[in-house]
Amino acid sequence: MTGSGTTLLDVRGLNCPMPLLMAKRTLNGMEVGAHLCVIATDPGSMKDFTVFAKQAGHDLLEAYENEGTFTYLLVKNARA
């Protein structure tokens, strides 16, 4: 899922609100159009990342769970 232009953020083992806060901080340092892949284990992160992307104006291209691991692929947008 991640390409060479994708930043990977592994926040497994961290609980709310840390996965989202770390993703926000990482996105702030990225160029518009850049991709961020977040890997988390916090079950609440699914709702958090969905709401965050919508409110902040980022595109959430993928959001899925596999055996307790949640993966999100976001694209940083200019509005954010």
Side-chain angles (χ1 to χ4, degrees):
M1 174 178 74
T2 61
S4 61
T6 302
T7 299
L8 179 63
L9 179 62
D10 187 342
V11 293
R12 288 178 282 192
L14 298 178
N15 293 319
C16 183
M18 292 309 297
L20 188 58
L21 291 175
M22 292 181 74
K24 284 181 182 180
R25 184 174 59 174
T26 302
L27 282 164
N28 285 340
M30 297 173 69
E31 298 287 327
V32 172
H35 289 73
L36 175 64
C37 178
V38 182
I39 301 172
T41 50
D42 178 14
S45 66
M46 185 64 80
K47 181 179 179 185
D48 292 343
F49 275 88
T50 302
V51 170
F52 165 69
K54 187 175 184 178
Q55 289 179 345
H58 300 299
D59 291 325
L60 182 60
L61 301 180
E62 293 185 24
Y64 62 90
E65 184 265 339
N66 182 23
E67 296 182 6
T69 299
F70 302 86
T71 304
Y72 310 99
L73 181 61
L74 298 116
V75 177
K76 180 173 179 171
N77 285 328
R79 179 175 83 99

